[in-house]
């Protein structure tokens, strides 16, 4: 039988744009992007966040417009500059918003392995998750989840489900690893498990997670439940799932891919690379239920028979 081809190595597009007059380059992954349109006049909404300049109607849907430079700490785009700007319509964290940027540069193919994690010295509350280079220029990958959480604080709520004592003990017995390059996503994940007194380990990228999984397996403490983001620098969630299922020491882990992307492609790729489920961020109840399903499969010894659930 031929060895299955990993879809995890397919490169993801990167949309580059500028936010400042100095033309510094920023980017987000194209899977978050619905479309790009020239600026349109907005309708102001009373008592909205001060970085929300109003709403626009695109394809029959009312969408809030966020002044992106202002939202991440730069000089806001001024009203007299709006006409020359663009709107990046994104679908992320179960909502559709438009980010106003100064200019659209280009879409390029990107190997996530080439993206460096943001330096730890930058702090824990910055909006950059990774750094890469193109044509000699530095490109900063923006943490859209963190940005949205600052404007819409409800994204930080976890809506923790009630567990029975039996369910809690089933999870407490497992070696759980959480992986996400977004600081707000890591906080959501850890808060969800902290609130129900479930222990876990946490990594901020796929390479560190894979190393940790191998160390734990060699020490006789294999990771039972892996909850991983998809878009990460170095080694993305698809690749991490593929490496896990193709390593004899790791393949019995129950793998849940946890993503802000709203796309059916996540389910297809999750299945192709050996993940058990693909969940959309962030609903703590959905996550805990997925982990309980994993616990059940681990107990039955049928962890590799699971068909991925969809986002």
């Amino acid at each position: 039988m031929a060895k299955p081809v990993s879809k995890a190595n397919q490169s993801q597009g990167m949309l580059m744009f500028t936010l400042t007059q100095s033309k510094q380059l920023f980017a987000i992954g194209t899977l978050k992007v619905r479309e790009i349109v020239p600026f349109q006049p907005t309708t102001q909404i009373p008592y909205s966040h001060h970085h929300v300049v109003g709403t626009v109607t695109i394809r029959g849907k009312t969408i809030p417009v966020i002044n992106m430079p202002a939202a991440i700490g730069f000089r806001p785009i001024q009203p007299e500059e709006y006409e020359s700007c663009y709107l990046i319509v994104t679908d992320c964290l179960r909502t559709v918003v438009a980010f106003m940027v100064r200019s659209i540069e280009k879409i390029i193919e990107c190997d996530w392995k080439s993206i460096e994690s943001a330096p730890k010295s930058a702090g824990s509350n910055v909006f950059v998750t990774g750094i890469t280079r193109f044509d000699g220029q530095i490109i900063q990958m923006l943490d859209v989840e963190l940005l949205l959480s600052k404007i819409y604080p409800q994204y930080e709520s976890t809506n923790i489900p009630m567990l029975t004592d039996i369910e809690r003990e089933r999870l407490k017995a497992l070696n759980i690893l959480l992986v996400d390059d977004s600081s707000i996503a890591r906080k959501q994940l850890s808060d969800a498990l902290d609130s129900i007194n479930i222990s876990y380990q946490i990594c901020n990228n796929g390479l560190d997670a894979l190393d940790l999984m191998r160390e734990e397996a060699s020490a006789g403490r294999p990771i039972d439940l892996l909850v991983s983001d998809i878009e990460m620098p170095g080694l993305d969630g698809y690749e991490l799932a593929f490496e896990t299922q193709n390593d004899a020491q790791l393949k019995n882990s129950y793998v849940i891919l946890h993503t802000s992307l709203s796309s059916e492609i996540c389910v297809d790729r999750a299945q192709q690379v050996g993940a058990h489920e693909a969940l959309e961020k962030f609903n703590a109840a959905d996550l805990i239920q997925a982990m309980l399903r994993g616990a059940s499969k681990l107990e039955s010894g049928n962890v590799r028979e699971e068909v991925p659930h969809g986002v």
Side-chain angles (χ1 to χ4, degrees), residues 2 7 41 58 66 68 76 84 99 109 126 143 171 181 220 232 248 257 274 281 285 287 298 306:
K7 300 297 183 180
I58 299 177
I66 297 171
M68 197 178 211
S84 63
F99 291 107
E109 290 298 318
V126 296
D143 186 342
L171 291 180
D181 67 325
M232 296 184 295
L257 294 183
K281 295 177 182 176
L287 177 60
L298 288 162
E306 182 70 12

PDB file of all heavy atoms in Angstrom, residues 2 7 41 58 66 68 76 84 99 109 126 143 171 181 220 232 248 257 274 281 285 287 298 306:
ATOM      1  N   ALA A   2       0.559   2.200  -0.837  1.00  0.00           N
ATOM      2  CA  ALA A   2       1.355   3.421  -0.919  1.00  0.00           C
ATOM      3  C   ALA A   2       1.190   4.248   0.344  1.00  0.00           C
ATOM      4  O   ALA A   2       0.117   4.295   0.940  1.00  0.00           O
ATOM      5  CB  ALA A   2       0.933   4.239  -2.145  1.00  0.00           C
ATOM      6  N   LYS A   7      -0.980  16.316   3.495  1.00  0.00           N
ATOM      7  CA  LYS A   7      -1.456  17.611   3.004  1.00  0.00           C
ATOM      8  C   LYS A   7      -0.941  18.741   3.883  1.00  0.00           C
ATOM      9  O   LYS A   7      -1.137  19.909   3.579  1.00  0.00           O
ATOM     10  CB  LYS A   7      -2.990  17.627   3.011  1.00  0.00           C
ATOM     11  CG  LYS A   7      -3.625  16.549   2.123  1.00  0.00           C
ATOM     12  CD  LYS A   7      -3.282  16.743   0.668  1.00  0.00           C
ATOM     13  CE  LYS A   7      -3.971  15.708  -0.212  1.00  0.00           C
ATOM     14  NZ  LYS A   7      -3.656  15.876  -1.630  1.00  0.00           N
ATOM     15  N   PRO A  41     -17.948  54.210   2.489  1.00  0.00           N
ATOM     16  CA  PRO A  41     -18.453  55.063   3.574  1.00  0.00           C
ATOM     17  C   PRO A  41     -19.118  54.220   4.652  1.00  0.00           C
ATOM     18  O   PRO A  41     -19.820  53.250   4.360  1.00  0.00           O
ATOM     19  CB  PRO A  41     -19.460  55.975   2.857  1.00  0.00           C
ATOM     20  CG  PRO A  41     -18.992  55.999   1.441  1.00  0.00           C
ATOM     21  CD  PRO A  41     -18.447  54.636   1.170  1.00  0.00           C
ATOM     22  N   ILE A  58     -21.751  44.706   3.020  1.00  0.00           N
ATOM     23  CA  ILE A  58     -21.088  44.012   1.917  1.00  0.00           C
ATOM     24  C   ILE A  58     -21.830  42.705   1.668  1.00  0.00           C
ATOM     25  O   ILE A  58     -21.978  41.897   2.573  1.00  0.00           O
ATOM     26  CB  ILE A  58     -19.606  43.729   2.251  1.00  0.00           C
ATOM     27  CG1 ILE A  58     -18.853  45.057   2.475  1.00  0.00           C
ATOM     28  CG2 ILE A  58     -18.951  42.922   1.136  1.00  0.00           C
ATOM     29  CD1 ILE A  58     -17.404  44.881   2.891  1.00  0.00           C
ATOM     30  N   ILE A  66     -12.878  48.108  11.590  1.00  0.00           N
ATOM     31  CA  ILE A  66     -11.909  48.416  12.639  1.00  0.00           C
ATOM     32  C   ILE A  66     -10.715  49.144  12.031  1.00  0.00           C
ATOM     33  O   ILE A  66     -10.152  48.711  11.030  1.00  0.00           O
ATOM     34  CB  ILE A  66     -11.427  47.126  13.331  1.00  0.00           C
ATOM     35  CG1 ILE A  66     -12.611  46.438  14.028  1.00  0.00           C
ATOM     36  CG2 ILE A  66     -10.312  47.412  14.326  1.00  0.00           C
ATOM     37  CD1 ILE A  66     -12.291  45.053  14.551  1.00  0.00           C
ATOM     38  N   MET A  68      -7.383  49.408  11.905  1.00  0.00           N
ATOM     39  CA  MET A  68      -6.373  48.456  12.361  1.00  0.00           C
ATOM     40  C   MET A  68      -5.113  49.110  12.932  1.00  0.00           C
ATOM     41  O   MET A  68      -4.609  48.667  13.976  1.00  0.00           O
ATOM     42  CB  MET A  68      -6.013  47.484  11.237  1.00  0.00           C
ATOM     43  CG  MET A  68      -5.305  46.238  11.729  1.00  0.00           C
ATOM     44  SD  MET A  68      -4.956  45.083  10.394  1.00  0.00           S
ATOM     45  CE  MET A  68      -5.048  43.508  11.251  1.00  0.00           C
ATOM     46  N   PRO A  76      -3.750  56.371  14.283  1.00  0.00           N
ATOM     47  CA  PRO A  76      -4.959  55.962  13.548  1.00  0.00           C
ATOM     48  C   PRO A  76      -4.989  56.549  12.143  1.00  0.00           C
ATOM     49  O   PRO A  76      -4.445  57.621  11.886  1.00  0.00           O
ATOM     50  CB  PRO A  76      -6.097  56.551  14.399  1.00  0.00           C
ATOM     51  CG  PRO A  76      -5.499  56.822  15.738  1.00  0.00           C
ATOM     52  CD  PRO A  76      -4.059  57.150  15.492  1.00  0.00           C
ATOM     53  N   SER A  84      -8.516  56.458   0.421  1.00  0.00           N
ATOM     54  CA  SER A  84      -7.415  55.762  -0.251  1.00  0.00           C
ATOM     55  C   SER A  84      -7.092  54.412   0.389  1.00  0.00           C
ATOM     56  O   SER A  84      -6.154  53.733  -0.028  1.00  0.00           O
ATOM     57  CB  SER A  84      -6.150  56.635  -0.233  1.00  0.00           C
ATOM     58  OG  SER A  84      -5.724  56.867   1.101  1.00  0.00           O
ATOM     59  N   PHE A  99     -11.058  44.948   8.540  1.00  0.00           N
ATOM     60  CA  PHE A  99      -9.945  45.736   9.047  1.00  0.00           C
ATOM     61  C   PHE A  99      -9.544  46.766   7.991  1.00  0.00           C
ATOM     62  O   PHE A  99      -9.265  46.408   6.845  1.00  0.00           O
ATOM     63  CB  PHE A  99      -8.750  44.844   9.366  1.00  0.00           C
ATOM     64  CG  PHE A  99      -8.965  43.935  10.540  1.00  0.00           C
ATOM     65  CD1 PHE A  99      -9.163  42.582  10.356  1.00  0.00           C
ATOM     66  CD2 PHE A  99      -8.991  44.448  11.829  1.00  0.00           C
ATOM     67  CE1 PHE A  99      -9.369  41.732  11.436  1.00  0.00           C
ATOM     68  CE2 PHE A  99      -9.203  43.613  12.922  1.00  0.00           C
ATOM     69  CZ  PHE A  99      -9.389  42.260  12.727  1.00  0.00           C
ATOM     70  N   GLU A 109       2.883  32.997  -1.392  1.00  0.00           N
ATOM     71  CA  GLU A 109       2.898  31.692  -0.755  1.00  0.00           C
ATOM     72  C   GLU A 109       3.906  31.734   0.394  1.00  0.00           C
ATOM     73  O   GLU A 109       4.932  32.397   0.293  1.00  0.00           O
ATOM     74  CB  GLU A 109       3.296  30.603  -1.762  1.00  0.00           C
ATOM     75  CG  GLU A 109       2.236  30.345  -2.817  1.00  0.00           C
ATOM     76  CD  GLU A 109       0.926  29.855  -2.227  1.00  0.00           C
ATOM     77  OE1 GLU A 109       0.988  29.002  -1.307  1.00  0.00           O
ATOM     78  OE2 GLU A 109      -0.141  30.333  -2.646  1.00  0.00           O
ATOM     79  N   VAL A 126       1.776  41.582  23.003  1.00  0.00           N
ATOM     80  CA  VAL A 126       1.964  42.205  21.696  1.00  0.00           C
ATOM     81  C   VAL A 126       1.061  41.536  20.671  1.00  0.00           C
ATOM     82  O   VAL A 126       0.565  40.439  20.882  1.00  0.00           O
ATOM     83  CB  VAL A 126       3.431  42.106  21.241  1.00  0.00           C
ATOM     84  CG1 VAL A 126       4.325  42.881  22.193  1.00  0.00           C
ATOM     85  CG2 VAL A 126       3.878  40.651  21.167  1.00  0.00           C
ATOM     86  N   ASP A 143      -1.527  38.890  15.323  1.00  0.00           N
ATOM     87  CA  ASP A 143      -2.375  38.015  16.130  1.00  0.00           C
ATOM     88  C   ASP A 143      -3.794  38.576  16.102  1.00  0.00           C
ATOM     89  O   ASP A 143      -4.165  39.420  16.918  1.00  0.00           O
ATOM     90  CB  ASP A 143      -1.829  37.965  17.558  1.00  0.00           C
ATOM     91  CG  ASP A 143      -2.555  36.960  18.432  1.00  0.00           C
ATOM     92  OD1 ASP A 143      -3.675  36.552  18.068  1.00  0.00           O
ATOM     93  OD2 ASP A 143      -2.002  36.588  19.475  1.00  0.00           O
ATOM     94  N   LEU A 171     -10.816  13.250  32.990  1.00  0.00           N
ATOM     95  CA  LEU A 171      -9.889  14.189  32.366  1.00  0.00           C
ATOM     96  C   LEU A 171      -8.641  14.396  33.219  1.00  0.00           C
ATOM     97  O   LEU A 171      -7.532  14.547  32.686  1.00  0.00           O
ATOM     98  CB  LEU A 171     -10.578  15.529  32.113  1.00  0.00           C
ATOM     99  CG  LEU A 171     -11.672  15.544  31.034  1.00  0.00           C
ATOM    100  CD1 LEU A 171     -12.256  16.943  30.892  1.00  0.00           C
ATOM    101  CD2 LEU A 171     -11.138  15.057  29.692  1.00  0.00           C
ATOM    102  N   ASP A 181      -0.056  29.620  19.296  1.00  0.00           N
ATOM    103  CA  ASP A 181       0.886  30.734  19.262  1.00  0.00           C
ATOM    104  C   ASP A 181       0.252  32.052  19.675  1.00  0.00           C
ATOM    105  O   ASP A 181       0.952  33.049  19.861  1.00  0.00           O
ATOM    106  CB  ASP A 181       1.517  30.869  17.871  1.00  0.00           C
ATOM    107  CG  ASP A 181       0.515  31.286  16.814  1.00  0.00           C
ATOM    108  OD1 ASP A 181      -0.658  30.861  16.914  1.00  0.00           O
ATOM    109  OD2 ASP A 181       0.893  32.004  15.881  1.00  0.00           O
ATOM    110  N   GLY A 220       7.910   7.584  29.523  1.00  0.00           N
ATOM    111  CA  GLY A 220       6.794   6.739  29.928  1.00  0.00           C
ATOM    112  C   GLY A 220       5.538   7.498  30.292  1.00  0.00           C
ATOM    113  O   GLY A 220       4.632   6.945  30.923  1.00  0.00           O
ATOM    114  N   MET A 232       0.423  28.152  12.948  1.00  0.00           N
ATOM    115  CA  MET A 232       1.515  28.447  13.877  1.00  0.00           C
ATOM    116  C   MET A 232       2.825  28.517  13.110  1.00  0.00           C
ATOM    117  O   MET A 232       2.998  27.805  12.117  1.00  0.00           O
ATOM    118  CB  MET A 232       1.615  27.361  14.954  1.00  0.00           C
ATOM    119  CG  MET A 232       0.421  27.257  15.876  1.00  0.00           C
ATOM    120  SD  MET A 232       0.685  26.015  17.180  1.00  0.00           S
ATOM    121  CE  MET A 232       0.769  24.501  16.209  1.00  0.00           C
ATOM    122  N   ALA A 248       5.469   6.028  16.139  1.00  0.00           N
ATOM    123  CA  ALA A 248       4.966   4.879  16.895  1.00  0.00           C
ATOM    124  C   ALA A 248       4.768   5.206  18.370  1.00  0.00           C
ATOM    125  O   ALA A 248       3.867   4.660  19.018  1.00  0.00           O
ATOM    126  CB  ALA A 248       5.923   3.699  16.745  1.00  0.00           C
ATOM    127  N   LEU A 257      -7.684  19.549  16.650  1.00  0.00           N
ATOM    128  CA  LEU A 257      -7.217  20.807  16.061  1.00  0.00           C
ATOM    129  C   LEU A 257      -8.226  21.890  16.398  1.00  0.00           C
ATOM    130  O   LEU A 257      -9.434  21.714  16.206  1.00  0.00           O
ATOM    131  CB  LEU A 257      -7.041  20.665  14.550  1.00  0.00           C
ATOM    132  CG  LEU A 257      -5.929  19.705  14.108  1.00  0.00           C
ATOM    133  CD1 LEU A 257      -5.797  19.689  12.595  1.00  0.00           C
ATOM    134  CD2 LEU A 257      -4.595  20.061  14.752  1.00  0.00           C
ATOM    135  N   GLY A 274      -4.628  12.936  10.067  1.00  0.00           N
ATOM    136  CA  GLY A 274      -4.761  12.032  11.192  1.00  0.00           C
ATOM    137  C   GLY A 274      -5.319  12.623  12.467  1.00  0.00           C
ATOM    138  O   GLY A 274      -5.328  11.966  13.501  1.00  0.00           O
ATOM    139  N   LYS A 281     -12.666  27.989  17.298  1.00  0.00           N
ATOM    140  CA  LYS A 281     -12.504  28.778  18.525  1.00  0.00           C
ATOM    141  C   LYS A 281     -13.664  29.760  18.693  1.00  0.00           C
ATOM    142  O   LYS A 281     -14.182  30.275  17.709  1.00  0.00           O
ATOM    143  CB  LYS A 281     -11.211  29.587  18.470  1.00  0.00           C
ATOM    144  CG  LYS A 281      -9.930  28.777  18.444  1.00  0.00           C
ATOM    145  CD  LYS A 281      -8.746  29.724  18.320  1.00  0.00           C
ATOM    146  CE  LYS A 281      -7.436  28.977  18.235  1.00  0.00           C
ATOM    147  NZ  LYS A 281      -6.298  29.894  18.017  1.00  0.00           N
ATOM    148  N   ALA A 285     -17.350  24.813  26.133  1.00  0.00           N
ATOM    149  CA  ALA A 285     -18.190  23.617  26.245  1.00  0.00           C
ATOM    150  C   ALA A 285     -17.886  22.629  25.126  1.00  0.00           C
ATOM    151  O   ALA A 285     -17.767  21.422  25.350  1.00  0.00           O
ATOM    152  CB  ALA A 285     -19.667  24.015  26.235  1.00  0.00           C
ATOM    153  N   LEU A 287     -15.099  22.384  23.472  1.00  0.00           N
ATOM    154  CA  LEU A 287     -13.759  21.838  23.670  1.00  0.00           C
ATOM    155  C   LEU A 287     -13.756  20.741  24.729  1.00  0.00           C
ATOM    156  O   LEU A 287     -13.173  19.667  24.541  1.00  0.00           O
ATOM    157  CB  LEU A 287     -12.801  22.954  24.066  1.00  0.00           C
ATOM    158  CG  LEU A 287     -11.366  22.521  24.381  1.00  0.00           C
ATOM    159  CD1 LEU A 287     -10.724  21.856  23.175  1.00  0.00           C
ATOM    160  CD2 LEU A 287     -10.540  23.719  24.841  1.00  0.00           C
ATOM    161  N   LEU A 298      -9.766   6.810  24.337  1.00  0.00           N
ATOM    162  CA  LEU A 298      -8.519   6.336  24.929  1.00  0.00           C
ATOM    163  C   LEU A 298      -8.780   5.161  25.868  1.00  0.00           C
ATOM    164  O   LEU A 298      -8.025   4.193  25.895  1.00  0.00           O
ATOM    165  CB  LEU A 298      -7.837   7.479  25.688  1.00  0.00           C
ATOM    166  CG  LEU A 298      -7.216   8.574  24.807  1.00  0.00           C
ATOM    167  CD1 LEU A 298      -6.966   9.835  25.624  1.00  0.00           C
ATOM    168  CD2 LEU A 298      -5.912   8.089  24.178  1.00  0.00           C
ATOM    169  N   GLU A 306     -11.578   6.991  15.347  1.00  0.00           N
ATOM    170  CA  GLU A 306     -12.444   8.165  15.400  1.00  0.00           C
ATOM    171  C   GLU A 306     -12.473   8.907  14.058  1.00  0.00           C
ATOM    172  O   GLU A 306     -11.449   9.119  13.423  1.00  0.00           O
ATOM    173  CB  GLU A 306     -11.954   9.144  16.481  1.00  0.00           C
ATOM    174  CG  GLU A 306     -12.816  10.381  16.661  1.00  0.00           C
ATOM    175  CD  GLU A 306     -14.158  10.079  17.292  1.00  0.00           C
ATOM    176  OE1 GLU A 306     -14.342   8.962  17.802  1.00  0.00           O
ATOM    177  OE2 GLU A 306     -15.005  10.978  17.275  1.00  0.00           O
TER     178      GLU A 306
END
